[in-house]
Amino acid sequence: MMITVTLVTALAFAGPDRAPRGVCVAFAGPDRRTRGAGVRMAASAADLHGVQAACLEKVQAAFTLTERDFPNSLECAAWSSGPSSGAVRGFAAEPKLGWISSSITNSGRGVCASELTAFVAPAFDIPHLYQVVGLTPEGKISLTLDYIARYDLPADQNYLQDYFLSTTEWQEKLRTSVAGVAESAVRQDVYMRTIRSPMQLCLELENTADSLAALKAACESNVDRWIGWWQTAKEVNRMKVGSIFMRDTKIHRMRFQSHAGLLKASGVPAELAERVAQAIVGPGDEQYVGLGDGA
């Protein structure tokens, strides 16, 4: 069972007039922490989603977020198809953040993904925030943290140093902070492998209380570092805005293709898969799928 995180947090989706929307259908049962014959896991999908919800709260505290109706306009704020189901929320914090997405996806057979992303507006060149947490088919905890670059890294050594090489010591501490931590193979399709940074951190941890605590600390540290960069952020030269926008547009398109492809592969009908992918990626990329802005 694998869970992945984009800025979509199911536990945070409940409203004053609605029941909590963070229930993963795949985990329904008398004891969602029990896996297999007598194997009891320390972390459930709800626990991991709670980690993402806490990270979203950090972003909300640092920026004035405005929730957008875009996912609802695509009928994807909550969706289901056969054994698959999910929910999406989207926010904006103009002029700094173009799209913040929090989502949960259940594809049946115990597979659940939760993703949190914050994509920066082209007037600033701070890397995009990306993190995913989950449970692997083997019942381990998976963690993927990344900052997606806005420039070609070999062409800008200062940018490479400031935002990527500077994370090396921090990442090494994460790898060694918990017994049983191991570097994992990156379980991503070609589109996400194309846009990831060279410093992407992808780990698997034994499903224990200590690992869950380490995961929570790692995700919150990842968000805190990203928020900290904003303390000295300045708008880029207007001449660079166009090139950053063009690069971001290509990244959005690849993310759309990745999400849509994974949903289709899990059995979600193509039309619904594309709507869900668009809701996660945000309204800036609707030209690729022929949808209205719905914002």
Side-chain angles (χ1 to χ4, degrees), residues 246-262:
M246 290 179 63
R247 182 183 179 92
D248 283 349
T249 297
K250 294 174 182 178
I251 290 173
H252 290 318
R253 184 175 189 178
M254 288 187 175
R255 290 188 63 232
F256 168 81
Q257 291 171 315
S258 174
H259 280 289
L262 292 174

Side-chain angles (χ1 to χ4, degrees), residues 134-241:
L135 298 175
T136 71
E138 299 76 26
K140 292 184 177 181
I141 296 174
S142 66
L143 169 66
T144 300
L145 302 177
D146 203 4
Y147 304 121
I148 299 176
R150 318 292 297 288
Y151 298 122
D152 179 32
L153 294 180
D156 194 326
Q157 292 294 308
N158 290 332
Y159 191 82
L160 175 65
Q161 176 61 46
D162 291 345
Y163 295 118
F164 297 97
L165 296 181
S166 63
T167 68
T168 302
E169 182 178 353
W170 170 72
Q171 287 186 343
E172 189 58 32
K173 288 181 179 178
L174 291 182
R175 291 191 182 98
T176 59
S177 63
V178 179
V181 173
E183 197 82 18
S184 70
V186 180
R187 303 183 182 192
Q188 294 176 327
D189 60 31
V190 65
Y191 298 112
M192 291 306 297
R193 292 199 303 271
T194 298
I195 67 176
R196 74 189 186 199
S197 84
M199 302 304 293
Q200 183 186 77
L201 183 67
C202 189
L203 301 176
E204 287 186 356
L205 302 84
E206 294 298 328
N207 196 335
T208 66
D210 286 346
S211 293
L212 179 60
L215 177 90
K216 183 176 186 295
C219 288
E220 293 187 354
S221 177
N222 191 56
V223 173
D224 287 341
R225 176 182 288 270
W226 179 78
I227 290 174
W229 287 333
W230 284 98
Q231 303 304 312
T232 57
K234 297 180 180 179
E235 292 192 37
V236 300
N237 185 297
R238 287 183 177 273
M239 296 295 290
K240 292 184 177 181
V241 173

